[in-house]
Amino acid sequence: MENPLHREILEEHARAPLFQGKLENFSYSGSWQSNKTGNSYKVEILERESIIEDIRFSGQGSALSQACASLMCSQLKGMSLADSNILCLNILQYIETGEEFMFPGDLIVYRTISRFSERHDCSLLAWRALRCGLNS
């Protein structure tokens, strides 16, 4: 059964995604294209003193992928690069393997998303782009 609060959070971010667009200057950039759908995302990060000062995403994808990218950026802004990398790995592992961890804030929606395997690819587009950017 789907959690109505999770659905509300996702719909809010799908209707009005935050952090959408491009940064004029950035420290890190990563892109990811899905082999399954062909959809792609790019994430740009402006870092100062190992903290994410600003972050943006751009690309094409479903409403769910945009909502998840918006949620990701909302959570990561102000976090350290190290903590962001750990969170990214945790989200990817949770969706791909079911490995449990404590979700911060609104990222709890991934508990609902995990039950719909056909939505996993969309929900991870921005996270995979982030991973590429942080590890480039």
Side-chain angles (χ1 to χ4, degrees):
M1 177 168 245
E2 196 173 330
N3 184 313
L5 177 59
H6 295 180
R7 183 177 189 78
E8 184 179 322
I9 291 167
L10 287 167
E11 286 176 351
E12 180 182 324
H13 280 271
R15 273 192 307 272
L18 306 171
F19 301 97
Q20 196 170 27
K22 297 182 181 228
L23 292 173
E24 192 170 307
N25 298 305
F26 54 87
S27 312
Y28 298 92
S29 173
S31 299
W32 181 264
Q33 182 170 11
S34 166
N35 290 330
K36 184 177 177 182
T37 65
N39 292 336
S40 61
Y41 270 80
K42 182 176 185 177
V43 174
E44 297 172 340
I45 296 169
L46 177 62
E47 170 262 335
R48 292 225 198 291
E49 298 179 13
S50 297
I51 301 294
I52 295 178
E53 184 173 284
D54 205 357
I55 183 168
R56 294 284 186 270
F57 75 92
S58 59
Q60 64 178 37
S62 67
L64 175 64
S65 68
Q66 288 189 25
C68 289
S70 176
L71 281 162
M72 177 192 81
C73 293
S74 296
Q75 185 66 45
L76 296 179
K77 186 172 180 184
M79 282 182 78
S80 72
L81 290 174
D83 288 344
S84 297
N85 199 31
I86 291 168
L87 179 58
C88 181
L89 287 173
N90 284 335
I91 292 286
L92 292 170
Q93 286 178 334
Y94 177 76
I95 293 296
E96 293 169 354
T97 69
E99 187 175 319
E100 286 290 331
F101 80 103
M102 294 296 295
F103 290 91
D106 286 345
L107 294 182
I108 192 73
V109 300
Y110 278 91
R111 289 217 185 275
T112 295
I113 293 169
S114 70
R115 295 194 302 259
F116 301 95
S117 60
E118 68 278 7
R119 305 311 278 156
H120 289 180
D121 188 65
C122 292
S123 72
L124 296 177
L125 281 171
W127 290 101
R128 289 180 171 142
L130 173 73
R131 182 93 175 113
C132 290
L134 292 177
N135 293 301
S136 59

